[in-house]
Amino acid sequence: MKNFSLQIRRVFIFILPSLFLITSCQNNDLIEVKELSPLANYTMEPIEGQYVVVLKENVSGKYANQKYTERMASLKKDYVARFSTIKLTSDKIQQTYGYGVSGFAAQLDDEQLLHLRQDDRVKSIEQDYIITLNPELSILKGRPGGGGTTPAAEVIPWGINRVGGGISGIGKTAWIIDTGIDLDHPDLNVDTNRSKSFLGGKDANNPDDGNGHGTHVAGTVAAINNEINVIGVAAGATVVAVRVLDSRGSGSYSGVIAGVEYVGANGNEGDAANMSLGGPSNSALNDAVINASIKVKFAIAAGNDGADANNYSPASANGTNIYTVSAMDKNDVFAYFSNFGSPVDFCAPGVSIQSLWKGGGMNTISGTSMASPHVCGLLLLGTVHTSGNVSGDPDGNPDPIAHH
């Protein structure tokens, strides 16, 4: 499919080492937002001395029979031995890659970096980054979650109707690469055993959603048809939390790449993954997505910068099972904040989207982060068809509107 860029509405931008979420927030009364804040309200900072190193050789072949955790441990030892001459140590390796990408993310001093740049075994070395939403934009007003309150009667959001969703997805699996998922939300079927966090510190082993964005995305994909809250496109499908962004909507590129590799290692044919996050172009991240998509179909947010998606990752990743998604409003008009261009495959509802939130409640927000999960749900249901074209596409080539 065409390359794509990702983002949620200009308001939410979360990152992996250089990625950010894409959404715009609304209040707890679920009132539609009439005007969204300008796009690109996020900060990006390099992680001092930390780099993503990709090797030319597929080192993981000799560990092909090992399960994910065992393989990662074996590869870490392998990389330390392979680069012993520069005194690379295991405690300096922050992430290990060995499925779609062979390599690692590590803390390196100037001398180690110089030697690796001259090493003919190394394909590429990229600075690792952290991207974080503007604090004023990432804090929601009021209590959108509803934590502890009685669930509301079920409604069918306009976007679910527009894409022909609300069909049973029971037995299907969606991997939500995001801020985590509310593991106890009554309207979601969460696979806690396979859910995993790629954050460090106190969140290292906690895939629970500390932000709300990931739960919102999961709800659009797969909220259960159970007479409470909302219904998802592929209602009742299993969702797996792959947490790469913290409660502030921050993360590193290296952590996002690790999350994508985890999906590629553990996903199955027929599964779909959603990435409602993004940042500046990064070849290692794109390669990880392309390789993981051999087994799992990927829906990716085009981004909320109102710019060419070719300049963002993973939006610019391109492959048969990769679908970049732009956003539109309920009048089939292209959202002013949405990225555009040749990477985009489909347009989907992304303005004033009502879905689930952490704490057992709901919230209404906007962004290409909200558009992408509509397509993720459709991918679980089979081939994505179209129903007309969006109007007002800035690139002059109207994107087809995704439909079951």
Side-chain angles (χ1 to χ4, degrees), residues 279-404:
S281 182
N282 181 280
S283 62
L285 176 58
N286 282 2
D287 287 346
V289 171
I290 291 168
N291 282 285
S293 71
I294 293 173
K295 282 200 303 183
V296 177
K297 294 180 179 180
F298 275 71
I300 302 177
N304 303 322
D305 293 294
D308 190 337
N310 279 298
N311 297 321
Y312 299 87
S313 289
S316 54
N318 185 29
T320 303
N321 290 326
I322 300 173
Y323 302 83
T324 307
V325 187
S326 60
M328 68 179 193
D329 65 19
K330 55 178 60 177
N331 295 313
D332 292 356
V333 176
F334 198 88
Y336 75 87
F337 56 81
S338 179
N339 284 355
F340 51 83
S342 60
V344 178
D345 299 291
F346 294 108
C347 191
V351 176
S352 297
I353 302 302
Q354 188 175 4
S355 187
L356 309 181
W357 203 252
K358 70 185 182 83
M362 297 191 293
N363 195 19
T364 300
I365 54 180
S366 301
T368 58
S369 279
M370 285 54 262
S372 179
H374 285 87
V375 172
C376 182
L378 292 177
L379 290 171
L380 292 179
L381 299 176
T383 302
V384 181
H385 297 282
T386 63
S387 174
N389 295 315
V390 68
S391 63
D393 191 327
D395 64 15
N397 183 26
D399 299 328
I401 298 170
H403 199 276
H404 179 57

Side-chain angles (χ1 to χ4, degrees), residues 146-153 228-229 360-361:
T149 61
T150 302
I228 63 170
N229 295 325

Side-chain angles (χ1 to χ4, degrees), residues 3 56 104 133 171 205 226 244 260 336 351 358 371 396:
N3 296 335
K56 295 176 181 177
F104 53 89
L133 282 182
N205 298 306
N226 56 359
V244 297
V260 172
Y336 75 87
V351 176
K358 70 185 182 83

Side-chain angles (χ1 to χ4, degrees), residues 209-255:
D209 189 359
N211 178 281
H213 184 269
T215 301
H216 195 281
V217 166
T220 296
V221 175
I224 301 169
N225 185 4
N226 56 359
E227 300 183 351
I228 63 170
N229 295 325
V230 297
I231 184 172
V233 175
T238 297
V239 289
V240 184
V242 182
R243 190 180 183 195
V244 297
L245 304 173
D246 64 18
S247 59
R248 301 168 302 161
S250 298
S252 67
Y253 267 118
S254 55

Side-chain angles (χ1 to χ4, degrees), residues 117 129 196 249 266 279 354 385 390:
R117 291 196 185 282
Y129 283 91
K196 185 174 177 63
N266 295 281
Q354 188 175 4
H385 297 282
V390 68

Side-chain angles (χ1 to χ4, degrees), residues 16-17 19 52 97 101 126 244 252-262 275 282-286 288:
L16 325 148
L19 293 173
V52 176
Y97 311 128
V101 174
E126 294 178 284
V244 297
S252 67
Y253 267 118
S254 55
V256 175
I257 295 169
V260 172
E261 286 241 311
Y262 179 72
M275 297 185 74
N282 181 280
S283 62
L285 176 58
N286 282 2

